[in-house]
Amino acid sequence: MTKLTLISSAIFSVLCSQSALAATVTGKVMDDKNQPIKNASIHVHGKNQSVKSNDLGEFAIEIDANSQLHISKDNYVDSRIAVSESSNNLSVSLKPTSVETVVVYASALHKNSLEMISPVSVLSGDELRNKSKPTLGETLKGLPGVNASYFGPVSSSPIIRGLDGPRVKITQNGLDASDASRIGPDHATSSDSLAAEQIEVLRGPSTLLYGSGAIGGVVNVVDNRIPTDNIDELTGAAEYSHDTVSNSNTVAAKLETGNEGFNFHFDGTKRSGDDYQTPTFTIADDDGDVETESSVENTFIDSETLNFGTSYIGDHLTIGFSYGSIDTDYGIPGHEHHHDHEGETEEEHAEHEDEAAEEPVYAHLEQDRWQGLVSYALHNNWIETINLRVGYTDYSHSEIEDGEIGTTFKNKTTEARLNVEHKFADWHGMMGYHYSDSDYDAIGEEAFTPASVTTTNALYLLEEREFGDITIELGARVEDYKIESQITAHEHSHDEVEIDHSDEETIGYNESFTNLSASAGAIWQYKPGHSIATSISHSERAPLSAELLSNGLHIATGTYELGLGYNIEDNEAHFEPENIKQETSTNLDLSFRRFSGDFGYTVNFFYNDIKNFYFQENTGLVYDEEDGLESAIGAHDDAVAVYQFTSKDAELYGIEFDAHYQVTPSAMVKVFGDSTRAKLKDDEGNLPRIPANKLGSELQYDLGDLQLTLTGTHYFDQNDVTAFETQTDGYTLFDAQANYQLGLGSVDAQLYINVDNITDELGFVHSSFIKDKAPLPGRNFRFGVRGYF
């Protein structure tokens, strides 16, 4: 009670210390040739106030305290200017750029994509709409440094610089997506790109705000389900598209309106599609027979999403609430059950095979998500904004077998993030508190990870200061990580036909870790439109429940999984979770950027040294339902390989780049690519399933109302493999887009056609657990129409 009183008193004193200044700031926005810029946006930092410049570039905006104005305009570099009540007749000059500048919401300090110290990529606007795919991984995989895991087009998660799973944090408006996609590659992410305003991919120091384990990066899906700007009229959007490769149809709609500070938002999507078609490929069945296929079975999807949100925005206070739901059925390719056919007649064997073919396993995903926002802009001498985001997610993923639920994965997550944006002397920064409680459970025959409760409490700090043309950024995070579970332990014996459950032992597991992380970075704007940025970060990560406690058959990946907490002795697994060391990463980034004029580029070099890197390693054993764990030599055909999470020192390094040249006012050429090398130290070999390097080029041509784009991407051979994985041949994909703007009065309408994989190239994704069974889709024509009003 005493602590609560002190906190309340501190907040009250801050509120009371607010300055009562009121003044009108005037100015003019010009370009580098001293010509006025019309419709530039002038925004008071931390508030909802904004105005547009007139035909002469002039503006007038009210402030009530010493503030910062953010001036932005498409095709120009943003400008930020400190103002006071005496500021007047400002002259603002914006420099042209052929790179789109976008405010990165996940940056915490309201920076745009060109000001970030950490490497960042942003998809937004029509570019996001044109590249949007049913999964987050497929939508983002063309970005430099970003690839995708692949369990067919229905389940694909982002891989950043060779890292995925828990090392890539997926957030929705800054809060964890809270699905089960980190548990297994067959679990789809719950984030939908169709409803997004923009998708941000961050690497480096700024990721500390979202969790010390995000050493790969953060993918933040930004939508407007809680409006943070006042909406004065009814606006909306609608889109319909059809894909020929899977005979799928997608419908999406959005409506927003508001009045006197009260705002309302609705969006929804409906997507349905059949199994997708591929170029002809061969695959060996369980009996060793080779079959020819031209599609991937059981890759259908039937999905619905709905989001409602409302907010009230005053001069200082913003408060909002939203609810979202997802209801999706999708097929799980390669999800096969191993039956013991010994002693069966040919008729019985054929009957089982027919049943398996008629009743493919599919997933039913449901999610209810509530989010709340309270933000107060103080504009006093040292605290600028207090921002609280809270969320609760109820997620369920059920695998339906023969019309009945076989296994259900559940995750209920409560999360809160309190940020205080402040300014001390010449330092500007963010301090915050992050709370997360995840209650995970799995019920059924494929519940290879036991139920667990994971609780995180963290404090973090991010500070920046300008020294002329150089801006430095410092960050730190301390995190208390606690995991609780009940482990059911039994030993597999070769003399047992089935397990005697009366001999099972229940072990209570309760462990806490303290994760410490820190970062430092700097960006040098050594001349207008040119910069060099560098950063170094140190992060500690404790294992997830799946990495620590797994013990069971994972049918989707065709493996038997064991966690770090198990020790194998005489072909028996014993739960002995002693001396579990945290994964410790030291990451160095170096970026070179140019974004002025017609030519620009971003080149990022990175090196990541990781101690105790958690990964799944083939043990050389197999699991058989009768005999348990045994040597792979002479094992039954239905036995599956045993993979155990282990920890060894590793290093990852590489390059990612994106360059463009505005050849004419109507034509632009882009070149992009990435290369990642990932291996264990001490010559212990390569890390498994590391994506292949890629190199691509894109031509954009604007013919007035018609915009054309042609993209070619080559994925190189992947020969850096582990002892138990095969090499993957390279392939080249060509894609084309054509968008035509329709003049329909007040409605901004657009017809488009996308042709993916124009040459119908056969490509296999090296990072996929089922790469040989699920190649990439073949040639696809996507027709669509979208409109805004």
Side-chain angles (χ1 to χ4, degrees):
M1 189 65 181
T2 302
K3 289 184 178 179
L4 182 60
T5 303
L6 290 174
I7 293 173
S8 301
S9 300
I11 294 176
F12 180 76
S13 65
V14 167
L15 295 177
C16 292
S17 67
Q18 179 183 322
S19 176
L21 295 175
T24 300
V25 173
T26 62
K28 191 171 184 179
V29 184
M30 314 291 286
D31 63 16
D32 60 337
K33 297 178 182 178
N34 209 33
Q35 296 298 308
I37 297 178
K38 177 184 176 182
N39 286 331
S41 176
I42 298 91
H43 176 255
V44 179
H45 170 68
K47 297 183 66 177
N48 68 304
Q49 284 180 269
S50 63
V51 297
K52 298 285 187 180
S53 59
N54 62 20
D55 291 347
L56 300 177
E58 299 168 338
F59 68 89
I61 190 167
E62 292 187 357
I63 63 170
D64 59 3
N66 293 340
S67 306
Q68 184 187 78
L69 297 185
H70 179 200
I71 300 94
S72 60
K73 172 70 174 176
D74 290 345
N75 301 318
Y76 290 89
V77 179
D78 293 10
S79 177
R80 299 178 186 270
I81 299 177
V83 295
S84 66
E85 75 279 6
S86 60
S87 299
N88 220 341
N89 297 321
L90 298 172
S91 180
V92 182
S93 179
L94 299 183
K95 297 185 180 299
T97 177
S98 53
V99 179
E100 182 180 10
T101 60
V102 181
V103 173
V104 182
Y105 291 92
S107 69
L109 298 179
H110 317 284
K111 291 181 173 294
N112 67 46
S113 51
L114 302 181
E115 299 170 325
M116 294 283 291
I117 292 176
S118 305
V120 62
S121 303
V122 180
L123 279 182
S124 63
D126 285 340
E127 183 183 17
L128 172 59
R129 302 289 175 263
N130 292 333
K131 294 183 177 180
S132 178
K133 295 290 191 298
T135 63
L136 198 58
E138 290 298 290
T139 298
L140 299 175
K141 71 176 186 179
L143 297 175
V146 182
N147 288 276
S149 65
Y150 193 74
F151 220 86
V154 292
S155 180
S156 176
S157 296
I159 299 175
I160 300 178
R161 296 176 171 179
L163 300 173
D164 62 350
R167 300 179 185 90
V168 174
K169 178 76 74 174
I170 298 177
T171 62
Q172 189 98 24
N173 298 317
L175 295 179
D176 198 307
S178 302
D179 51 38
S181 61
R182 311 297 88 186
I183 300 299
D186 58 318
H187 295 186
T189 60
S190 60
S191 299
D192 194 319
S193 60
L194 279 177
E197 301 287 329
Q198 66 186 50
I199 303 177
E200 307 163 348
V201 181
L202 287 79
R203 303 91 158 172
S206 57
T207 63
L208 293 180
L209 301 182
Y210 299 94
S212 56
I215 63 174
V218 172
V219 176
N220 186 40
V221 180
V222 180
D223 57 38
N224 201 39
R225 65 178 67 181
I226 299 180
T228 53
D229 288 314
N230 274 322
I231 305 170
D232 298 322
E233 58 184 356
L234 176 66
T235 63
E239 179 175 358
Y240 166 78
S241 66
H242 175 78
D243 288 79
T244 60
V245 77
S246 58
N247 191 33
S248 65
N249 296 285
T250 302
V251 178
K254 179 177 74 171
L255 288 173
E256 293 183 333
T257 188
N259 184 41
E260 296 183 353
F262 290 93
N263 309 281
F264 303 92
H265 170 95
F266 161 81
D267 72 72
T269 62
K270 168 68 176 177
R271 179 188 292 117
S272 61
D274 302 328
D275 295 347
Y276 73 93
Q277 305 297 307
T278 70
T280 302
F281 70 103
T282 58
I283 185 172
D285 62 20
D286 291 336
D287 297 325
D289 297 328
V290 176
E291 298 180 356
T292 300
E293 302 286 352
S294 59
S295 67
V296 177
E297 295 183 3
N298 201 27
T299 53
F300 74 91
I301 187 169
D302 188 357
S303 175
E304 293 182 2
T305 67
L306 290 173
N307 295 299
F308 300 90
T310 184
S311 67
Y312 170 76
I313 301 174
D315 289 338
H316 295 276
L317 176 67
T318 298
I319 184 169
F321 170 82
S322 72
Y323 166 75
S325 71
I326 301 174
D327 192 328
T328 300
D329 290 333
Y330 65 91
I332 306 178
H335 198 303
E336 300 168 352
H337 290 274
H338 295 271
H339 299 283
D340 185 3
H341 301 298
E342 186 176 351
E344 291 183 348
T345 65
E346 292 185 4
E347 291 78 6
E348 291 173 332
H349 180 85
E351 182 180 350
H352 286 151
E353 293 296 328
D354 290 340
E355 289 176 355
E358 293 172 2
E359 298 289 345
V361 177
Y362 71 93
H364 179 60
L365 186 157
E366 292 181 297
Q367 178 176 282
D368 294 304
R369 184 177 177 90
W370 293 264
Q371 287 183 300
L373 167 68
V374 179
S375 180
Y376 195 89
L378 288 88
H379 292 293
N380 69 355
N381 292 330
W382 57 286
I383 292 184
E384 296 181 332
T385 306
I386 299 175
N387 183 290
L388 174 65
R389 285 189 179 272
V390 295
Y392 175 77
T393 303
D394 188 350
Y395 169 93
S396 174
H397 169 108
S398 297
E399 296 184 355
I400 313 301
E401 308 171 15
D402 300 326
E404 298 181 355
I405 296 177
T407 307
T408 298
F409 302 87
K410 296 182 178 181
N411 193 27
K412 296 181 179 181
T413 302
T414 303
E415 187 175 12
R417 186 182 296 277
L418 176 66
N419 290 332
V420 179
E421 188 175 355
H422 57 267
K423 187 173 184 180
F424 298 130
D426 295 324
W427 290 89
H428 175 222
M430 178 82 70
M431 66 178 74
Y433 166 71
H434 181 205
Y435 168 81
S436 176
D437 181 87
S438 177
D439 187 350
Y440 166 81
D441 196 6
I443 305 168
E445 63 182 43
E446 295 179 27
F448 58 93
T449 302
S452 63
V453 176
T454 303
T455 306
T456 300
N457 290 275
L459 295 173
Y460 52 84
L461 182 69
L462 186 67
E463 300 288 335
E464 69 170 9
R465 181 178 176 179
E466 295 181 0
F467 295 88
D469 295 332
I470 297 177
T471 300
I472 66 171
E473 183 179 278
L474 304 175
R477 179 184 176 101
V478 57
E479 177 181 275
D480 177 70
Y481 179 95
K482 183 178 181 181
I483 183 169
E484 300 174 276
S485 182
Q486 295 291 321
I487 310 300
T488 300
H490 57 261
E491 298 179 357
H492 293 288
S493 171
H494 294 276
D495 297 328
E496 292 176 324
V497 176
E498 60 182 38
I499 300 169
D500 183 357
H501 293 277
S502 63
D503 293 336
E504 292 179 347
E505 178 186 2
T506 300
I507 302 172
Y509 180 76
N510 188 329
E511 188 62 64
S512 294
F513 301 85
T514 299
N515 299 318
L516 300 175
S517 302
S519 66
I523 184 169
W524 176 29
Q525 306 277 356
Y526 61 92
K527 68 178 183 177
H530 298 69
S531 66
I532 299 175
T534 185
S535 63
I536 185 170
S537 60
H538 174 86
S539 301
E540 295 178 349
R541 182 176 80 88
L544 292 185
S545 60
E547 295 171 314
L548 182 62
L549 307 176
S550 292
N551 182 8
L553 189 63
H554 192 175
I555 299 295
T557 60
T559 61
Y560 190 96
E561 295 190 5
L562 279 174
L564 286 162
Y566 286 87
N567 179 47
I568 299 176
E569 184 177 349
D570 296 328
N571 290 350
E572 293 180 346
H574 307 272
F575 186 64
E576 299 174 356
E578 290 142 7
N579 301 320
I580 301 295
K581 296 180 180 180
Q582 290 147 294
E583 185 178 271
T584 304
S585 169
T586 301
N587 187 81
L588 177 65
D589 266 288
L590 179 62
S591 301
F592 299 88
R593 304 170 190 163
R594 171 178 171 155
F595 44 85
S596 65
D598 295 331
F599 175 63
Y601 57 80
T602 298
V603 182
N604 303 321
F605 298 92
F606 65 91
Y607 177 80
N608 201 344
D609 183 282
I610 309 176
K611 295 185 181 299
N612 305 314
F613 181 83
Y614 307 144
F615 70 102
Q616 287 181 297
E617 186 175 52
N618 194 311
T619 62
L621 300 175
V622 295
Y623 170 77
D624 182 79
E625 292 182 358
E626 290 188 4
D627 299 326
L629 306 183
E630 61 179 353
S631 173
I633 301 175
H636 195 280
D637 291 340
D638 286 337
V640 297
V642 177
Y643 280 78
Q644 182 174 21
F645 282 96
T646 186
S647 61
K648 295 182 180 180
D649 295 347
E651 60 180 352
L652 297 89
Y653 52 88
I655 181 176
E656 54 202 22
F657 64 91
D658 186 354
H660 69 274
Y661 178 59
Q662 191 78 43
V663 183
T664 70
S666 300
M668 177 183 285
V669 176
K670 293 184 177 181
V671 179
F672 58 90
D674 57 56
S675 174
T676 299
R677 185 75 176 92
K679 59 183 181 180
L680 297 171
K681 288 190 172 182
D682 301 324
D683 296 323
E684 290 198 44
N686 302 302
L687 289 175
R689 290 181 300 280
I690 298 300
N693 301 330
K694 69 173 180 281
L695 177 64
S697 181
E698 182 173 289
L699 171 63
Q700 299 176 358
Y701 199 82
D702 192 340
L703 292 171
D705 292 332
L706 178 64
Q707 294 85 41
L708 303 173
T709 303
L710 176 64
T711 306
T713 308
H714 178 69
Y715 293 84
F716 291 86
D717 297 346
Q718 179 54 289
N719 300 320
D720 298 324
V721 297
T722 63
F724 294 94
E725 64 177 338
T726 58
Q727 299 178 1
T728 303
D729 293 335
Y731 53 93
T732 303
L733 300 179
F734 291 98
D735 306 319
Q737 300 172 357
N739 298 345
Y740 184 74
Q741 304 291 333
L742 299 174
L744 299 178
S746 60
V747 177
D748 179 12
Q750 185 181 92
L751 290 174
Y752 64 89
I753 177 173
N754 295 358
V755 187
D756 300 324
N757 194 4
I758 297 173
T759 60
D760 203 32
E761 177 88 350
L762 179 63
F764 295 92
V765 181
H766 184 76
S767 56
S768 172
F769 274 90
I770 56 170
K771 69 171 184 177
D772 295 327
K773 299 178 181 180
L776 290 170
R779 184 185 300 112
N780 176 44
F781 292 89
R782 181 185 182 191
F783 308 90
V785 58
R786 62 173 70 101
Y788 307 89
F789 63 90

